[in-house]
Amino acid sequence: MQPQQPVITLAPIASHQDTAIAQIIRTVGAEFGAVGEGFGPGDAEVQCMSRHYTAERNSRYLVAEMNGRVVGGAGLAPLRNDSKICELKKLFLLPEARGHGIGRRLAVACLDFARERGFSSCYLDTLSSMTDAIGLYERLGFRHLDQPLLASEHGGCDVWMLKAL
C-alpha cells in the first residue's frame, strides 16, 4: 500500500498565523546561521507578517500548510518601494515540509503575483549555506549577482540573485 501523500495548501497569510510563521522563520533561520541583525529572521516585520504583506503595500505573504499544519511560507514585496523591482522574501520551510515541492510552489506563486502586479524583475538575497534554496532559485531562472542590488538591510547575506519577469 502506497503511503498517503500529504495535503498541501497555499494561501495568503491571516493574522492568526503570524505567531506560527514568526516561529518558523526564526527556527529555520537559526538552523542556517541567520540569527540577529543583518538577517531576514531579525526583521521587525517577522512579528506580524500579516500587517506588512497587504494588497495596499503591493505585497503578499503566502503560508503553506501540510495536513492542516503551518509548515512555512514565502513573500513578495517591492524592493525599497520600487515599482518595477520586487523581492522574494522569507521563504522558510520546516524540515518535514522539505522535499514535497512546497518551496517551488511558494516561489512560483510569488513570481506569478509579481507579474500580475507589473514588476519587471525579482531580487533575492540568501546565504550560501542554503544550497537547496539556491538550487531552486537557479532552476527558476534567477541569476547570481556579484553584489547586492542595493545597499541591503541584510548585510549578513552572501548570495544575491535577480530574475527578469
Side-chain angles (χ1 to χ4, degrees), residues 7 44 46-47 92 95 112-113 134 140 153:
V7 176
V46 171
Q47 279 299 110
F92 289 98
D112 287 346
F113 175 79
I134 292 167
L140 290 173
E153 61 189 337

Side-chain angles (χ1 to χ4, degrees), residues 79-138:
L79 179 65
R80 300 280 173 103
N81 297 314
D82 193 303
S83 64
K84 291 297 174 193
I85 304 172
C86 60
E87 184 176 10
L88 183 63
K89 301 179 74 165
K90 296 177 180 63
L91 195 164
F92 289 98
L93 294 172
L94 291 174
E96 63 267 25
R98 299 173 197 159
H100 296 282
I102 298 171
R104 179 178 183 76
R105 287 179 57 188
L106 285 165
V108 167
C110 285
L111 294 171
D112 287 346
F113 175 79
R115 286 183 194 93
E116 291 167 13
R117 292 299 181 128
F119 291 104
S120 60
S121 58
C122 184
Y123 173 78
L124 65 84
D125 55 24
T126 189
L127 295 170
S128 55
S129 61
M130 295 182 158
T131 55
D132 288 344
I134 292 167
L136 168 65
Y137 302 143
E138 290 170 345

Side-chain angles (χ1 to χ4, degrees), residues 20-38:
I21 283 295
Q23 182 63 35
I24 289 168
I25 291 170
R26 288 190 189 102
T27 300
V28 175
E31 176 186 349
F32 290 95
V35 178
E37 280 192 44

Side-chain angles (χ1 to χ4, degrees), residues 148-164:
L149 197 57
L150 298 171
S152 177
E153 61 189 337
H154 300 146
C157 292
D158 59 356
V159 174
W160 313 279
M161 303 178 84
L162 188 68
K163 175 182 174 57

